[in-house]
Amino acid sequence: MEDVNKDEVFEKVEEKKDEVVETEEAVEEKLGEKTERLIEEMKQQLEELKAKNAEPSPEDVAREEKMKELWNKEVNLELRMAGLEDFAEFINVEEHNSKQLQEKIQKFQEVLGKRELSSGYVPQNHRQTDKYSLAEKNKDTKSMIGLKLSKFFK
């Protein structure tokens, strides 16, 4: 009886083993199908998100324009405060980079300062005006004669 029971048990175990293998294969197949569907869905969602990000919304465009306008106003204000508003078109800086703007303004002021010093009036044959020339200019003959005679009596 024990042999029969062992054989029956062995047969039942083999049957169950085959059923388990078949069940595992079916589960793996279903998981594979579900995984593939999920991957496809995720790819579609990713493509939709990329399409949305590629086209900026009207609100984003308006916000960017406002930010550019605000930055340009800030640049113009800084240039006006530095007395360089006439040179606004020559000063190019990255947006929202105040440090770079200040550096450019400072360099521009240094260059203009050097240019002003070098282009200022520099007299070439400048003589100091003496008392005789001053008297001659004022047509004061008494002073002119007195100055000429004072040279003789020194």
Side-chain angles (χ1 to χ4, degrees):
M1 183 140 172
E2 282 185 26
D3 283 337
V4 174
N5 282 340
K6 282 184 181 179
D7 288 337
E8 285 177 19
V9 170
F10 186 68
E11 286 177 19
K12 285 184 182 180
V13 167
E14 286 296 322
E15 288 175 14
K16 295 291 182 183
K17 192 177 187 183
D18 289 337
E19 287 177 17
V20 168
V21 169
E22 289 175 11
T23 308
E24 282 181 4
E25 289 174 358
V27 168
E28 286 177 7
E29 187 176 308
K30 284 185 180 181
L31 281 176
E33 290 173 6
K34 284 185 179 180
T35 305
E36 288 177 14
R37 271 189 280 144
L38 284 174
I39 289 173
E40 289 300 318
E41 289 176 15
M42 295 294 253
K43 283 182 181 179
Q44 288 175 353
Q45 288 177 355
L46 181 63
E47 289 175 10
E48 290 173 7
L49 288 174
K50 283 183 180 178
K52 285 182 182 177
N53 286 339
E55 300 171 10
S57 68
E59 295 88 21
D60 291 339
V61 172
R63 187 178 315 113
E64 285 295 321
E65 288 176 7
K66 287 287 186 184
M67 294 297 284
K68 284 181 183 179
E69 185 180 325
L70 182 62
W71 174 247
N72 289 335
K73 285 182 179 180
E74 183 178 342
V75 168
N76 288 332
L77 180 64
E78 289 290 330
L79 291 174
R80 186 173 298 131
M81 287 174 45
L84 300 173
E85 64 268 5
D86 296 336
F87 303 104
E89 64 187 70
F90 302 112
I91 296 179
N92 296 323
V93 292
E94 295 175 13
E95 277 190 38
H96 310 294
N97 193 343
S98 297
K99 183 178 179 183
Q100 185 183 20
L101 176 63
Q102 291 300 325
E103 289 173 357
K104 292 235 179 187
I105 288 174
Q106 189 172 6
K107 284 182 183 178
F108 213 86
Q109 285 177 327
E110 288 174 11
V111 169
L112 286 176
K114 288 178 185 176
R115 187 156 284 230
E116 285 177 5
L117 287 177
S118 66
S119 67
Y121 175 71
V122 179
Q124 292 180 352
N125 293 327
H126 180 67
R127 316 182 295 201
Q128 290 185 346
T129 55
D130 57 349
K131 291 180 182 179
Y132 184 81
S133 300
L134 189 60
E136 186 179 25
K137 185 177 177 185
N138 293 333
K139 300 191 190 250
D140 185 11
T141 54
K142 272 186 174 180
S143 298
M144 288 171 52
I145 293 172
L147 289 169
K148 284 287 184 180
L149 290 175
S150 69
K151 288 183 183 177
F152 292 121
F153 298 112
K154 276 188 175 182

